[in-house]
Amino acid sequence: MVRLTVAVQTPQHAAIDSLLHYESEWSLAPGTLVRVPLGRRDVLGIVWNEQSAPGRSPPPDGLRPVSEALSALAPLPPAWCELVRFAAAYYQRSIGELALSALPPDLRKLGNVALERRLNRLAAATLPAAAPQDTAPEPTEEQAQAIAALLPAIEAPAGADADAPPPVLLHGATGSGKTEVYLRLAAEALARGRQVLMMVPEINLTPQLLQRVAERFPRHRLASQHSGMTPAQRLNAWLLVAGGQADIVLGTRLAIFAPLSRLGLVIVDEEHDASYKQQEGARYSARDLAVYRARLEKVPVLLGSATPSLESWQRAIEGRYRLLRMAHRVGEPASDAGSAHGHHPVVRIIDTARLAAAGGPKTDPPVLAPPLLAAIEQRIARGEQSLLLLNRRGYAPVLHCPDCGWKSECPHCSAWRVFHKADRTLRCHHCSFTEAVPRACPVCGNLDIHPIGRGTEKLHEQVAAALPQARVARIDADSTRRAGELSAQLAAVHAGEVDVLVGTQMVTKGHDFRRITLVAAVNPDGALFAGDFRAPERLFALLLQAAGRAGRDARAAAASEMWVQTANPQHPLFDALVRHDFESFANAQLAQRQRAGLPPFSHLVLLRAEAREADVAQRFLQAARDAALNLPLAEGATFYAPVPAPVAKVAGFERRQMLVESVNRALLQRLLAEWTPLLPPLRAAHKGIARWAIDVDPQAI
DNA sequence: AGCACGCCGACT
DNA sequence: GTCGGCGTGCTC
């Protein structure tokens, strides 16, 4: 009999560790999937290569035996286990929680017999008949240079004692053909028998991209992983990878944990995208883990974006990442003297403050400035399309009674309920609490209650009224709620059945609209002064990406326009936008971040807590802070006082948060390792804490 | 987290 | 007399 350490899923605050011990007749390799008894149930576990955390109670005598080893599947690769171990330590979660959450949920239900049957069926499935080869276009000069820069690391993998190749940041303008670079490099890795991990943001994993990859590599098996898949599809895709049959994994952030054993190249497309950061459970950044994984496995990693994250940009400036640039659109010669930054849509900034003043005090300013409206009419006359962006769905963000001052607040959240005219409801966008719109003010009975502000529904209505000849459509989370609606609406746009498209930012990402030659941000000012320090970075990326929707190729780009309506036209962000100058925007932002001691010049951690009573959450965080300040390492970090979260109450729970900041990441990690074990007992001592979580490198504070 | 055991109200 | 409310407690 041998004693095994097994990682199982136990919750963060459970009194037991997630590494438990069992006995087995045979020694099992680390990474082997097993079923083990835990309490009264049988759970899925992974044989682990290390003992339980020091400080935990030692394993009791009289261990229970492993129920079953899932020997139909090869043990998960050592590099996979190491990635999980690192991620668990870095993001302050248990190994078991992280490891098990990286497996498809349906795997938990499978015994060895069922598993074997499924694997056999998958192995028997032949590759789909070679689809017509995607004709690979001749690379542009810039593309060829980017490919040449990565090629040596793919051709000659780093040896055991060599350093990993440095990460590469590809700063490529929209339309410069980053995907073609990815595909060519992938082809090189595949030709050498290596596997490719290609990650895209959630919204970007469109059927078009999947199809393009599949058509380019008809001889290779592709496994995709994204949240739109059914549990069974997810399981099969994962088994294809774990069984070593998949050559390409194309997926969203979860794909970072794909158990590839012949990894040869990692690609992170739109590396700045916020959806790479997991927002619940283990709050990992798949982009950061991609860089770690590539270093661990000594394979090249390519981070691509038209608007890189300031974190990656700073590393490129410091020389820790290699920077490659592609400034020109495909179809436009790199030597074109037309512009230093290539042919991109002309950006026009409209001062809405002046517009309002000109209209006089009595009249409301028009939704769209007259010159913008005229430009859209021109597009319609030419058979071209326009895209209007407004990052607010619903008809109006709040309903208001002018007599008594009542507003449509949510009874469960510190937020207004949004007026949705289509189904005449008031809906809370935080907790989904929905009621019919009252006929009269619920406080004073006044019949004359008004919507304030504007959402996409109202914009749609107003644009349709202003442009009676136009076919206006709207795409947002409400109009695409049911399965298939999004693709149907997108198809209508592609087919030219729409003249003006109104939408939230969900339409700005990834979709390749060939006929759109005008994009307008109707009111982006909210993001300009949002409390979060990353708001300008996100707005710039959004606007530049939106501009990229217009005139996807160089021929149309020259005639394309990006309009921005703002009451703050003098804001430096718009200056940089007009010049399509990411670099000067990024450098200015970095200078500000450095002065303020914000990331990437410092490292942040948030401790969040939720309770029915605000002061319960507050006292818990205060106690956690006091405990931290007693630790010897505490001097190396700043523990700020607990404050209400940006939305202080959601679904009846008061949310408080506490920020920890340090310039020294290694020290912060050691401090967290000492601090987090103190938190479960503290939670127990503070009755009424519904949830708490540590967020390392939070996305917003 | 599950999933038990454990003591107090309205039903065939 | 039972079915069942969710309050505390444990899981190698």
Side-chain angles (χ1 to χ4, degrees):
Chain A
M1 283 292 187
V2 282
R3 203 179 76 161
L4 296 177
T5 304
V6 177
V8 295
Q9 188 155 38
T10 49
Q12 176 87 339
H13 48 269
I16 59 169
D17 192 9
S18 78
L19 294 181
L20 303 182
H21 305 87
Y22 293 87
E23 57 174 37
S24 162
E25 282 186 58
W26 301 281
S27 173
L28 295 170
T32 304
L33 293 174
V34 290
R35 304 199 65 84
V36 290
L38 180 59
R40 245 148 279 248
R41 14 176 220 150
D42 236 23
V43 297
L44 181 63
I46 302 167
V47 177
W48 211 251
N49 198 11
E50 58 196 291
Q51 299 302 302
S52 53
R56 292 282 190 172
S57 55
D61 340 300
L63 297 177
R64 299 172 73 179
V66 167
S67 312
E68 173 182 44
L70 302 184
S71 51
L73 203 64
L76 297 171
W80 184 90
C81 295
E82 175 55 25
L83 178 68
V84 164
R85 192 208 56 73
F86 169 80
Y90 187 83
Y91 293 104
Q92 303 294 321
R93 313 295 293 202
S94 74
I95 284 175
E97 189 194 3
L98 219 120
L100 273 294
S101 70
L103 305 180
D106 274 20
L107 189 63
R108 290 170 207 198
K109 300 177 202 148
L110 251 48
N112 202 34
V113 177
L115 181 63
E116 197 158 8
R117 205 167 341 118
R118 214 170 245 272
L119 282 168
N120 287 338
R121 213 170 42 228
L122 279 173
T126 50
L127 275 171
Q133 184 90 19
D134 171 28
T135 47
E138 201 53 35
T140 65
E141 202 174 306
E142 285 179 332
Q143 285 173 333
Q145 280 171 13
I147 293 161
L150 269 291
L151 207 49
I154 296 174
E155 285 175 335
D161 41 342
D163 285 342
V168 173
L169 177 63
L170 176 61
H171 176 213
T174 347
S176 62
K178 291 188 288 292
T179 310
E180 183 57 29
V181 174
Y182 304 155
L183 292 176
R184 292 226 166 216
L185 291 170
E188 297 293 339
L190 293 170
R192 287 162 180 81
R194 311 295 296 271
Q195 295 161 315
V196 176
L197 171 58
M198 188 165 169
M199 296 204 294
V200 293
E202 186 62 65
I203 202 83
N204 259 23
L205 189 42
T206 55
Q208 292 99 299
L209 178 61
L210 264 170
Q211 195 184 343
R212 186 165 169 197
V213 176
E215 285 182 6
R216 180 66 71 89
F217 305 111
R219 310 299 314 150
H220 291 95
R221 216 186 282 265
L222 168 67
S224 62
Q225 303 189 332
H226 60 93
S227 66
M229 293 164 69
T230 66
Q233 288 173 327
R234 214 177 278 195
L235 174 64
N236 283 340
W238 188 88
L239 288 175
L240 213 56
V241 177
Q245 295 160 69
D247 300 304
I248 310 162
V249 171
L250 175 56
T252 55
R253 60 176 176 271
L254 192 64
I256 187 56
F257 292 111
L260 297 162
S261 51
R262 293 176 285 116
L263 185 64
L265 173 66
V266 181
I267 293 164
V268 184
D269 188 28
E270 307 291 355
E271 65 89 26
H272 66 282
D273 198 285
S275 73
Y276 283 121
K277 184 76 158 69
Q278 173 95 15
Q279 290 298 351
E280 59 202 19
R283 294 165 184 253
Y284 60 85
S285 158
R287 181 246 289 152
D288 294 350
L289 287 180
V291 172
Y292 182 85
R293 181 169 186 178
R295 197 176 71 197
L296 186 69
E297 307 204 32
K298 297 191 174 172
V299 300
V301 54
L302 177 59
L303 309 176
S305 177
T307 50
S309 65
L310 293 180
E311 281 78 2
S312 299
W313 188 250
Q314 175 63 22
R315 285 178 188 160
I317 288 173
E318 289 170 3
R320 291 156 70 193
Y321 291 0
R322 181 164 178 195
L323 179 62
L324 301 175
R325 292 181 174 90
M326 299 200 306
H328 295 83
R329 291 198 174 212
V330 171
E332 165 197 56
S335 57
D336 193 325
S339 149
H341 295 281
H343 277 154
H344 294 293
V346 172
V347 176
R348 301 184 189 282
I349 308 292
I350 301 184
D351 184 351
T352 52
R354 194 184 302 171
L355 213 66
K362 283 277 183 190
T363 48
D364 280 344
V367 207
L368 301 177
L372 173 55
L373 199 62
I376 296 172
E377 284 174 326
Q378 273 178 26
R379 295 301 186 294
I380 299 171
R382 290 207 296 263
E384 297 168 5
Q385 297 172 318
S386 302
L387 169 63
L388 304 182
L389 284 177
L390 180 62
N391 237 356
R392 189 167 252 174
R393 60 195 172 86
Y395 189 83
V398 59
L399 209 55
H400 173 240
C401 169
D403 273 14
C404 73
W406 171 84
K407 283 181 169 179
S408 55
E409 56 225 330
C410 175
H412 311 298
C413 304
S414 42
W416 307 121
R417 276 178 298 166
V418 175
F419 172 35
H420 288 254
K421 196 177 182 181
D423 53 2
R424 303 224 38 99
T425 56
L426 288 180
R427 291 221 290 269
C428 175
H429 288 184
H430 294 276
C431 72
S432 303
F433 178 67
T434 303
E435 278 182 330
V437 174
R439 299 206 164 277
C441 171
V443 174
C444 70
N446 175 20
L447 287 169
D448 194 25
I449 50 180
H450 297 292
I452 299 181
R454 172 165 52 228
T456 45
E457 264 186 53
K458 186 173 185 183
L459 179 61
H460 182 185
E461 186 182 286
Q462 291 177 318
V463 170
L467 299 165
Q469 78 280 26
R471 296 163 298 173
V472 185
R474 170 170 69 91
I475 293 186
D476 57 30
D478 297 311
S479 76
T480 58
R481 188 140 301 183
R482 280 182 294 274
E485 275 180 321
L486 177 60
S487 50
Q489 293 197 42
L490 289 171
V493 177
H494 290 301
E497 292 161 17
V498 170
D499 298 312
V500 181
L501 178 60
V502 170
T504 54
Q505 63 176 343
M506 72 181 286
V507 296
T508 64
K509 297 185 179 179
H511 306 294
D512 203 348
F513 298 115
R514 291 278 158 188
R515 295 167 196 249
I516 288 182
T517 57
L518 181 149
V519 176
V522 174
N523 178 20
D525 285 6
L528 219 46
F529 304 103
D532 187 67
F533 71 93
R534 276 189 236 270
E537 180 185 355
R538 281 199 298 266
L539 178 61
F540 189 84
L542 174 74
L543 293 178
L544 204 62
Q545 193 152 37
R549 291 314 98 197
R552 285 286 287 171
D553 43 56
R555 291 181 303 282
S560 295
E561 293 175 344
M562 165 90 201
W563 293 61
V564 179
Q565 296 194 142
T566 174
N568 304 278
Q570 74 296 338
H571 198 286
L573 187 151
F574 296 127
D575 268 0
L577 185 69
V578 167
R579 290 180 279 116
H580 287 270
D581 190 351
F582 168 78
E583 299 201 9
S584 74
F585 170 77
N587 295 338
Q589 282 286 309
L590 282 171
Q592 274 185 32
R593 297 267 186 99
Q594 188 156 30
R595 281 196 298 277
L598 287 167
F601 302 99
S602 70
H603 304 280
L604 304 180
V605 172
L606 269 188
L607 177 61
R608 309 170 195 269
E610 289 182 31
R612 290 280 178 198
E613 308 287 333
D615 62 321
V616 171
Q618 188 78 18
R619 278 199 302 267
F620 168 71
L621 292 180
Q622 194 57 52
R625 183 170 185 268
D626 294 342
L629 292 176
N630 280 329
L631 295 170
L633 287 169
E635 283 180 23
T638 308
F639 289 79
Y640 291 91
V643 294
V647 183
K649 189 172 119 184
V650 171
F653 287 96
E654 297 284 349
R655 311 200 300 176
R656 293 291 182 274
Q657 63 184 34
M658 185 189 122
L659 183 65
V660 187
E661 178 213 86
S662 175
V663 291
N664 185 336
R665 171 137 73 168
L667 180 145
L668 184 59
Q669 278 289 313
R670 276 184 283 137
L671 181 55
L672 289 179
E674 290 181 17
W675 188 37
T676 45
L678 308 177
L679 298 178
L682 269 185
R683 174 223 166 98
H686 290 255
K687 292 275 173 249
I689 295 292
R691 277 179 291 273
W692 67 275
I694 279 202
D695 191 345
V696 180
D697 301 334
Q699 232 237 140
I701 55 173

